[in-house]
Structure formats: C-alpha cells, structure tokens
Amino acid sequence: MQDSDGFTNLRKEKNSSSQILQKINTGKQVEVLDQNGDWWLVISKKGKKGYVHKSRIKSE
C-alpha cells in the first residue's frame, strides 16, 4: 500500500464515498482477490474484505 496520508481506506463498496471498513497503514501487505476495474477487492491482514482504488496499491 502507498499513500501520502500514511494510510489507505478499505471501503465497503467500489467508490470513494462508501463506508470505510478499515484504515490500512502504508507499506502493509494485502491479498488481492479481484483486479477488475479501478477498485480492487482485497483482504487485509486483519481479515477484512473490501475495496481499494488501484492507484493506492503497489505491486511487488
């Protein structure tokens, strides 16, 4: 994850006005489940599933 704020929001739906499920700190790893479109479905290390905008994800 990469973001200038130091965290990225994990959201319930595929849009930036959707409910925030969790804040994921920059540099934390997530598992990507679906990469279709601009919003990717991921699962955090805490086991929460949600959407993150693809611009926030840095692949290794």
Side-chain angles (χ1 to χ4, degrees):
M1 295 270 146
Q2 59 182 13
D3 191 81
S4 57
D5 298 334
F7 64 87
T8 297
N9 292 320
L10 183 70
R11 297 193 178 269
K12 187 173 182 178
E13 304 292 336
K14 296 182 178 185
N15 63 67
S16 58
S17 58
S18 166
Q19 175 188 351
I20 296 168
L21 301 175
Q22 182 185 335
K23 291 187 187 302
I24 301 173
N25 292 333
T26 299
K28 294 289 182 192
Q29 289 188 335
V30 294
E31 181 181 345
V32 177
L33 303 176
D34 183 15
Q35 298 182 22
N36 289 328
D38 290 339
W39 290 86
W40 290 7
L41 180 62
V42 304
I43 187 164
S44 72
K45 288 292 184 192
K46 292 183 180 177
K48 287 211 185 265
K49 259 190 213 177
Y51 294 94
V52 174
H53 195 271
K54 67 180 180 184
S55 66
R56 302 290 194 217
I57 298 176
K58 181 180 146 203
S59 58
E60 296 183 353

